[in-house]
Amino acid sequence: MISFKLLSASIVLLISLVSGLYPFLKRLKNKNHLNIPKGEAFASGIFLGAGLIHMLGESSRDFIAMGVDYPLPFLIAGVVFLGFLLLEHVAKELYHHADQSKSAFAVVAFIMLSIHGFLAGTALGITSSLSLAIVVFAAILAHKWAESFALALQLTKSPLRFAIALTLFIIFTLMTPLGIFLGSYSLESLEHLHFIEPTFLALAAGTFLYLGSLHGLEKSVLISECCNLSVFLYVIAGFSLMALIGLWI
């Protein structure tokens, strides 16, 4: 299990660095949004399925086993979901203002994606179930390359100095591996605190649900491509894959 988590952290770090390399090497002038609708749709379905079926399901079972009757995992996930929605609205307002706000927009994007990456990594690291860890890892990989490229693009387009932009990007790439290591440490040293694992699963589930639905607001696949059946089928395919895996774990 430890070896799988170490391998997961290494793969995520490598994909993050490689995906963001091109914008930093070229200082891209292209302002177009990275648009791979079918790939994004499939990833959205995976995020929704992993968050709803696996992570919230596991978190809820653990809290019930501890005698907690209140639907606490859903409250935690809902608060995280609304928090990310608020941050994205703030980022959108910053983006539509004058050029001096473009730096603030890039920083807010960095904060949002770093928090998500850390929570997702912690959920992977803290889980004691190999099958659930594999599901979380697959969900992270489904979107990590696009997140890394998009963030690198925003940072290099912003008025931030190159050194600052590169530093922020490197911090972002380290957040998911850091979360994996912290989660693994917590699992070993705080195993007597039974609420730790289900709490972090619920926190990460909130970020997964947001990334699978409203991330990007009007650019979200579920909004921009909702009437395009050929794209929406990929959302269903990703969700169905997570549901099918749920039969065995």
Side-chain angles (χ1 to χ4, degrees), residues 89-111:
H89 277 296
V90 170
K92 183 180 178 182
E93 287 300 313
L94 291 171
Y95 185 78
H96 289 300
H97 279 72
D99 287 341
Q100 59 265 29
S101 295
K102 298 297 175 63
S103 294
F105 170 76
V107 171
V108 171
F110 156 76
I111 292 171

Side-chain angles (χ1 to χ4, degrees), residues 8-189:
S8 299
S10 301
I11 292 174
V12 169
L13 179 61
L14 179 63
I15 287 176
S16 299
L17 289 171
V18 171
S19 300
L21 185 63
Y22 185 68
F24 278 99
L25 287 177
K26 300 297 183 181
R27 274 281 189 172
L28 291 179
K29 302 297 183 182
N30 180 19
K31 297 180 186 282
N32 292 331
H33 175 65
L34 180 64
N35 189 26
I36 308 177
K38 291 181 179 179
E40 292 179 6
F42 186 69
S44 294
I46 288 177
F47 272 126
L48 290 172
L52 286 170
I53 299 170
H54 298 281
M55 301 172 79
L56 278 178
E58 184 75 17
S59 178
S60 182
R61 283 193 294 270
D62 288 349
F63 273 116
I64 289 173
M66 289 186 290
V68 179
D69 295 326
Y70 188 83
L72 192 57
F74 303 94
L75 172 64
I76 294 171
V79 169
V80 171
F81 184 97
L82 293 175
F84 273 104
L85 182 59
L86 175 62
L87 277 175
E88 188 126 31
H89 277 296
V90 170
K92 183 180 178 182
E93 287 300 313
L94 291 171
Y95 185 78
H96 289 300
H97 279 72
D99 287 341
Q100 59 265 29
S101 295
K102 298 297 175 63
S103 294
F105 170 76
V107 171
V108 171
F110 156 76
I111 292 171
M112 286 183 60
L113 293 176
S114 294
I115 292 173
H116 161 68
F118 178 76
L119 290 176
T122 304
L124 194 162
I126 206 169
T127 181
S128 55
S129 165
L130 178 59
S131 55
L132 181 58
I134 292 172
V135 168
V136 176
F137 176 60
I140 292 172
L141 284 189
H143 212 252
K144 196 66 178 179
W145 64 272
E147 282 184 4
S148 300
F149 184 90
L151 179 61
L153 196 59
Q154 291 299 333
L155 289 171
T156 54
K157 283 162 46 181
S158 75
L160 291 169
R161 291 203 308 263
F162 183 86
I164 295 176
L166 183 59
T167 299
L168 291 178
F169 179 74
I170 291 175
I171 292 172
F172 160 76
T173 64
L174 293 174
M175 293 306 288
T176 299
L178 179 63
I180 294 173
F181 292 134
L182 179 63
S184 299
Y185 171 78
S186 300
L187 182 64
E188 297 296 328
S189 61

